[in-house]
């Protein structure tokens, strides 16, 4: 059995000979097929009972490092300028060839078993079949090993650059190929065992038939290998079988070659074929099209005896190791009428990219036709002027590289255009935010003006004794007091108790001394001429003063005294009052107050409006950049042309299986849908852009008018029982533009016991608030449900009001609605006092309290909401709200569950992992670290690690009100210097030019307190300064740090300070003022402090664990890792848990600061520009939400 059979099996072509049931019990045949099918569907490797030569080659390939003659030969054969892409192409081609050989081995075992069972073959012939196919498969395995070695050698010779990053993903054979190898070799072993059983069962047939009959003709199982794997290839048009160009209708002119002599020569040498030209069929540039001569293959049907004599045979060719399959009708040649044999011929016109053709000849095109496969070896078509396989692969690699460059340039250009479009939209949104902020401020000022006017005009001034003047006591000059004008009051000092005073002080107020507001003016003596001009009495001692009459006032009030305030004239305790002329009515007063507020707050409002606009711009830029990064990563695997499809138009999907689980599979198929799989397109095969199956494959789709998103997965078969690439279960998605239907928003409800800033204890409260805001910013509807504690920070809650109540658990549950940080918040208040504990944690009944809250929340979600408000996703957080995840959610609601720290409540967490639709934890590395925990391990198929982010609105050095001077990455040197100086003043530290190392943490063993102590001493020994902000819940630990603080203060009074109380403003100052930020945690699910520190330009020095490993990349050791993550190096890392390990990182950081200041400044600027916001993690969570909702 030759290569053709294996390939035809892969292509789903059916030929004669296998599973003919007349000689074998149908029930047993069906059982055997089902057994093969089930084994091939299984992805679990099985231990082999015995090994064939092929298996030995595979084992050697996997077990040895290939430091052998194969690798040496590969290295010698490799040109110095070899393209690694070509080496990888050859490796993929060899891997595919090996897979087909192994599939052929399995088929041979099945055929041999059947033939032995029906006594068509004797044992010797069966063994000959085994030896033949094993030899071919062993050769394929050796070729695959050599190709693998060559690919590795090529990668060693070529430096890694940005365009070849994907080659790192090809370091070893992909898992899919390994599984296929293990599956088919395991099946061969099973077939060997079954052969022995059949021999025993049908021994009487062996005795009757003796040595059997003719050798096995070329044959194929009636349901080829892919069909055994559940891949029901039903028709040739569904495979990639293609028909070569038909020969011209008229017969070619006889070539100037003595074909009769060539035929006789072939007969004398025992060959059934020869070619014209005699040297082989030309390819490419040497094509006979240039000389006018045809290229013909001649075949002697009588030579093998495998085919019947009637009818015209059909040649079936596998081109370039079965990349393509051609079926060609043969014809009778002229000029061989008198030559022995039954000669037939067919014309070939081969392109220059053909390097290998093998073929068999079939009696006809019918299913089950007899086949001549050259005694299981297949015929090899002689070729002339052919390029080598390596040359072809190199050309293809260049074509793939050119295609990728062209398309990536087009994608990049489209990304730039999209970016400009998004930024234009962002500027419009910023203008709207600026205007909206001003509108809000205007409305706020108007409200205050109306309130002030109402209060001012509601005063009861009717009981005041007002008078415009009093004879010989006082008089208003120039017409009296007018609203909003300056008035002059004349007072006769001789008229009362101030007659002996040396001077007169006037105290003036308005409207019955409104808000106890007044001004004091020292009066001046009036000249006699002035007094006479104003008709003041001649015998008086007149003094005068100018008074500003407030425009909002209706009455002016005043009293008088001497400047020493020992003598007073207050109108006998009634004070003096006069009515103001032309006073404003209510509406005029409101307008006047509003105008005044505008003038007073103009600068403040403008600054606030600019901050609001900048916030929108920054947020839009971060979210756009996050989406662009995700698209760039997806473009390595799949992209569309155009990059953003439009509804109602065609779109091409381009997919690169070489970088996925489908690498090495015989074909790739697209399974597409629309609008998060609301509807599906027909599955279709993808065609390779470049011949040979390397690089991208293409398929076209018609986008429906109502589409808003294209959804995709890929498989190696059109059948459902196929091998899939589902992007780790998240599928691939591309937005669609211009659809008649807009993407409907998701409704998400978080259920948690913490929420910053109203109920914050640890990092979980920050995560709940920030994640909710980030998902809301993506256009979705988000609600947070928390207990209504009696210890909430009500100053941070807006518009709190009760909206409902209900009874659950025998208790009235009050439902309150409010807004916290722009998020709709539901507060559930059980009236049994469950959440009125004066604290969030700290009581011995926390689990029972939170369990009751979760039960009330489940009842609220299931029974107390109308359908249009009921969430699609309910997101529970940690053990405290785990009962939500394993509770009975109804109405199609799905649950998501996040582990914030597995150290607490593992039992509840395990139940939540089982019940939730999707599960996460707060960083990829922490997910890997806890994956073996019994609560996690059974649910790995739905468990994901997504790193936390920080809220850039809260942690922003450019707007931070707690800093002496705000700054950005561009002004970091100046801003951090100001913060450092302010921090030193606050902590009573010296102003020496030395590095300042900081720690902000809870002092628990998880946080590496033994390393924190060591770091304090090491920093001071190296001449630096050390500050710590935090406290210990354990009194013993707190005592240790109290002692440490005393000792450090004694030895280093101006270089160390430990602050044992949480202080929000001080934490901001420490992040901004420190140079190095230390996080030596023993384990750290994610960690936020290192992210905040980088946001403020403090270089992190951390232990490699959990989220610290995912966010900090060592400047000396992690360039490759940071490049793979799409980031720049940003800190210093150590591995161990002892002081020496910490010193490795801390000493390097301190030395870097001391000796490389310019590079240190570059590092500070670099880390401040990195994005640790929630922009990208929010998209990851949205993917999981949609995964949970997938039908």
């Amino acid at each position: 059995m030759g290569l053709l059979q294996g390939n035809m099996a892969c292509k789903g072509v059916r030929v004669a000979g296998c599973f003919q049931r007349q000689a074998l019990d149908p029930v047993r045949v069906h059982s055997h097929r089902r057994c093969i099918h089930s084994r091939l569907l299984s992805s679990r490797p099985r231990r082999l009972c015995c090994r064939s030569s092929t298996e030995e080659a595979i084992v050697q390939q996997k077990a040895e490092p290939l430091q052998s003659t194969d690798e040496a030969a590969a290295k010698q054969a490799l040109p110095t300028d070899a393209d690694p892409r070509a080496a990888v192409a050859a490796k993929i081609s060899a891997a595919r060839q090996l897979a087909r050989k192994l599939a052929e081995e399995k088929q041979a075992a099945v055929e041999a078993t059947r033939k032995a069972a029906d006594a068509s073959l004797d044992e010797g012939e069966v063994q000959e079949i085994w030896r033949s196919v094993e030899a071919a498969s062993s050769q394929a395995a050796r070729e695959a090993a050599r190709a693998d070695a060559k690919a590795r050698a090529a990668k060693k010779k070529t430096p890694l650059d940005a365009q070849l990053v994907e080659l790192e993903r090809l370091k070893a054979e992909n898992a899919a190929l390994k599984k296929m190898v293990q599956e088919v070799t395991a099946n061969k072993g099973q077939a060997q065992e079954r052969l022995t059983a059949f021999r025993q069962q049908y021994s009487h047939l062996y005795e009757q038939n003796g040595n059997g009959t003719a050798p096995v003709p070329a044959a194929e199982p009636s349901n080829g290998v892919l069909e055994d794997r559940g891949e029901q290839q039903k028709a040739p048009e569904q495979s990639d079988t293609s028909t070569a160009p038909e020969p011209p209708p008229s017969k070619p002119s006889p070539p100037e070659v003595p074909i009769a002599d060539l035929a006789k020569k072939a007969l004398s040498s025992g060959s059934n074929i020869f070619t014209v030209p005699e040297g082989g069929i030309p390819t490419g540039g040497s094509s006979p099209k240039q000389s006018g001569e045809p290229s013909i293959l001649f075949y002697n049907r009588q030579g093998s005896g495998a085919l019947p004599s009637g009818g015209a045979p059909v040649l079936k060719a596998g081109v370039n190791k079965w990349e393509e399959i051609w079926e060609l009708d043969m014809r009778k040649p002229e000029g061989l009428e008198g030559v022995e044999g039954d000669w037939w011929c067919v014309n070939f016109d081969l392109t220059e990219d053909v390097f290998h053709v093998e073929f068999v000849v079939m009696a006809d095109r019918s299913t089950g036709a007899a086949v001549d496969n050259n005694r299981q070896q297949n015929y090899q078509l002689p070729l002339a002027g052919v390029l080598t396989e390596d040359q072809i692969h190199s050309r293809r690699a260049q074509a793939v590289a050119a295609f990728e460059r062209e398309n990536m340039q087009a994608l990049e250009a489209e990304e730039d255009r999209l970016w400009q479009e998004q930024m234009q939209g962002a500027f419009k949104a910023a203008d709207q935010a600026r205007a909206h902020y001003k509108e809000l401020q205007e409305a706020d000022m108007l409200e205050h003006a109306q309130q002030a006017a109402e209060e001012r005009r509601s005063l009861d001034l009717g009981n005041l004794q007002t008078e415009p003047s009093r004879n010989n006591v006082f008089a208003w000059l120039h017409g009296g007091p007018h609203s909003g004008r300056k008035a002059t009051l004349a007072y006769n000092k001789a008229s009362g108790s101030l007659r002996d005073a040396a001077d007169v002080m006037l105290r003036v107020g308005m409207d019955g001394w409104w808000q106890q507001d007044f001004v004091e003016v020292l009066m001046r003596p009036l000249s006699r001429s002035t007094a006479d001009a104003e008709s003041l009495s001649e015998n008086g001692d007149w003094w005068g003063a100018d008074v500003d009459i407030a425009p909002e006032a209706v009455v002016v009030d005043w009293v008088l005294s001497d400047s020493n305030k020992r003598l007073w004239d207050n109108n006998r305790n009634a004070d003096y009052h006069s009515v103001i002329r032309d006073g404003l009515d209510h509406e005029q007063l409101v307008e006047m107050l509003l105008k005044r507020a505008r003038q007073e707050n103009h600068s403040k409002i403008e600054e606030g409006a600019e901050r609001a606009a900048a916030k929108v711009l920054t947020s839009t830029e971060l979210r756009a950049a996050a989406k662009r990064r995700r698209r760039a990563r997806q473009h390595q695997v799949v992209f569309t042309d155009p990059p953003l499809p439009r509804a109602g138009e065609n779109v091409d999907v381009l997919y690169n299986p070489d970088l996925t689980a489908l690498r090495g599979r015989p074909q790739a198929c697209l399974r597409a849908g629309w609008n998060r799989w609301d509807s599906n397109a027909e599955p279709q095969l993808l065609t390779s852009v470049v011949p040979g199956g390397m690089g991208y494959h293409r398929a076209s789709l018609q986008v429906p008018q109502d589409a808003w998103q294209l959804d995709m997965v890929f498989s190696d078969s059109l059948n459902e029982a196929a091998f899939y690439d589902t992007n780790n279960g998240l599928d691939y998605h591309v937005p669609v533009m211009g659809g008649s239907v807009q993407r409907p928003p998701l409704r998400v409800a978080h259920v948690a016991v913490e929420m910053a800033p109203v109920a914050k204890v640890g990092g979980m409260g920050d995560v709940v608030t920030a994640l909710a805001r980030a998902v809301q910013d993506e256009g979705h509807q988000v609600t947070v449900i928390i207990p209504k504690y009696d210890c909430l920070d009500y100053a941070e809650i807006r518009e709190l009001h009760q909206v409902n109540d209900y009874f659950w658990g025998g208790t009235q549950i009050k439902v309150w609605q409010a807004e916290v940080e722009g998020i709709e918040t539901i507060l559930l208040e059980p009236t049994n006092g469950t959440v009125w504990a004066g604290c969030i944690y700290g009581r011995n009944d926390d689990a029972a309290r939170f369990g009751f809250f979760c039960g009330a929340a489940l009842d609220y979600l299931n029974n107390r909401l109308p359908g249009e408000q009921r969430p699609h996703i309910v997101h529970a957080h940690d053990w405290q709200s785990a009962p939500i995840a394993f509770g009975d959610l109804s109405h199609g609601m799905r649950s998501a569950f996040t582990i914030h720290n597995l150290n607490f409540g593992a039992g509840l967490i395990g139940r939540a992992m089982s019940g939730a639709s999707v599960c996460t934890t707060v960083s990829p590395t922490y997910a890997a670290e806890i994956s073996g925990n019994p609560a996690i391990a059974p649910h790995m198929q739905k468990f994901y690690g997504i790193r936390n982010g920080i809220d850039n609105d809260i942690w922003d050095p450019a707007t931070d009100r707690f800093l002496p001077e705000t700054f950005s990455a561009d002004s970091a040197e100046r801003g951090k210097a100001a913060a450092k100086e302010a921090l030193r003043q606050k902590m009573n530290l010296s102003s020496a030019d030395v590095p300042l190392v900081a720690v902000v943490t809870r002092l628990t063993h998880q946080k590496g307190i033994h390393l924190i102590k060591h770091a304090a001493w090491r920093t001071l020994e190296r001449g630096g300064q050390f500050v710590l902000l935090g406290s210990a819940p354990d009194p013993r630990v707190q005592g240790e740090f109290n002692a440490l603080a005393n000792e450090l203060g004694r030895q280093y009074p101006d270089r160390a300070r430990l602050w044992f109380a949480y202080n929000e403003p001080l934490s901001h100052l420490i992040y901004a003022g420190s140079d190095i930020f230390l996080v030596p945690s023993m384990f750290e699910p994610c960690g936020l402090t290192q992210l905040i520190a980088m946001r403020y330009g403090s270089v992190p020095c951390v232990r490699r664990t959990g989220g610290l490993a995912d966010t900090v990349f060592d400047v000396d050791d992690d360039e490759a890792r940071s490049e793979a993550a799409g980031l720049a190096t940003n800190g210093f890392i150590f591995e161990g848990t002892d002081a020496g390990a910490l010193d490795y990182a801390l000493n390097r950081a301190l030395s870097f600061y001391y000796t490389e200041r310019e590079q240190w400044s570059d590092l500070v600027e670099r880390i401040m520009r990195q994005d640790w916001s929630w922009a990208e993690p929010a998209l990851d969570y949205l993917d999981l939400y949609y995964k949970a909702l997938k039908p």
Side-chain angles (χ1 to χ4, degrees), residues 492-511:
N492 182 6
K493 185 168 75 76
S495 65
S497 57
L498 297 182
R499 64 174 60 90
D500 297 327
D503 51 22
V504 179
M505 180 72 72
L506 174 64
R507 178 178 292 188
V508 181
M510 306 288 166
D511 292 343

Side-chain angles (χ1 to χ4, degrees), residues 94-114:
R96 286 176 173 161
Q97 181 78 341
L98 173 59
R100 292 187 176 111
K101 286 285 188 181
L102 292 168
E104 181 183 336
E105 245 191 270
K106 170 194 168 286
Q107 182 184 325
V110 173
E111 174 68 4
T113 299
R114 189 196 66 78

Side-chain angles (χ1 to χ4, degrees), residues 974-1172:
R974 185 187 71 251
K976 285 188 68 66
K980 191 173 186 179
E981 182 59 31
L983 177 61
R984 283 170 164 168
Q985 293 177 4
K986 177 79 173 178
M987 296 289 204
N988 294 321
L989 303 178
S990 66
S991 297
D993 184 16
V994 297
L996 196 156
V997 178
V999 176
V1000 177
T1001 187
R1002 289 178 296 109
L1003 298 175
T1004 64
H1005 290 286
Q1006 175 204 335
K1007 301 299 182 180
I1009 53 178
H1010 66 294
L1011 296 179
I1012 294 174
K1013 296 174 186 176
H1014 175 79
W1017 291 109
R1018 173 60 67 198
T1019 299
L1020 298 171
E1021 290 167 0
R1022 292 289 306 274
Q1025 294 178 323
F1026 185 86
V1027 298
L1028 178 146
L1029 174 63
S1031 60
D1034 185 339
R1036 183 183 59 82
V1037 174
Q1038 185 61 60
E1040 293 174 3
F1041 273 87
N1042 289 340
L1044 176 65
N1046 293 334
E1047 186 62 22
L1048 293 176
R1050 186 181 64 82
Q1051 295 191 37
Y1052 301 96
D1054 62 347
R1055 289 203 284 135
R1057 191 73 67 234
L1058 279 59
W1059 193 288
F1060 298 126
Y1062 184 72
N1063 185 310
E1064 180 76 11
L1066 181 57
S1067 70
H1068 287 242
L1069 194 59
I1070 289 175
Y1071 287 123
S1074 60
D1075 300 301
I1076 299 168
F1077 195 86
L1078 180 66
V1079 191
S1081 302
M1082 296 298 96
F1083 73 92
E1084 192 63 69
C1086 179
L1088 297 178
T1089 58
Q1090 82 278 11
L1091 305 181
I1092 299 170
M1094 288 189 281
R1095 175 83 165 142
Y1096 282 71
S1098 186
V1099 178
C1101 178
V1102 307
R1103 183 172 174 272
R1104 195 189 301 275
T1105 182
L1108 301 176
D1110 294 322
T1111 55
V1112 180
F1113 302 89
D1114 195 283
V1115 296
D1116 297 318
D1117 303 330
D1118 278 341
E1119 283 195 13
R1121 193 169 69 92
S1122 65
E1123 184 177 356
L1127 294 166
T1129 56
N1130 55 12
F1132 297 87
I1133 300 181
F1134 63 97
E1135 301 274 358
T1137 60
D1138 60 352
L1142 170 63
D1143 285 345
Y1144 169 71
L1146 183 57
N1147 282 335
R1148 287 185 295 125
L1150 293 169
S1151 297
F1152 196 165
Y1153 180 91
Y1154 280 125
T1155 62
E1156 301 180 61
R1157 280 299 183 85
E1158 185 174 346
Q1159 290 83 351
W1160 183 272
S1161 297
D1162 292 341
L1163 175 60
V1164 169
E1165 180 179 343
R1166 187 164 75 232
I1167 66 178
M1168 288 190 68
R1169 295 189 188 281
Q1170 291 181 337
D1171 176 20
W1172 299 111

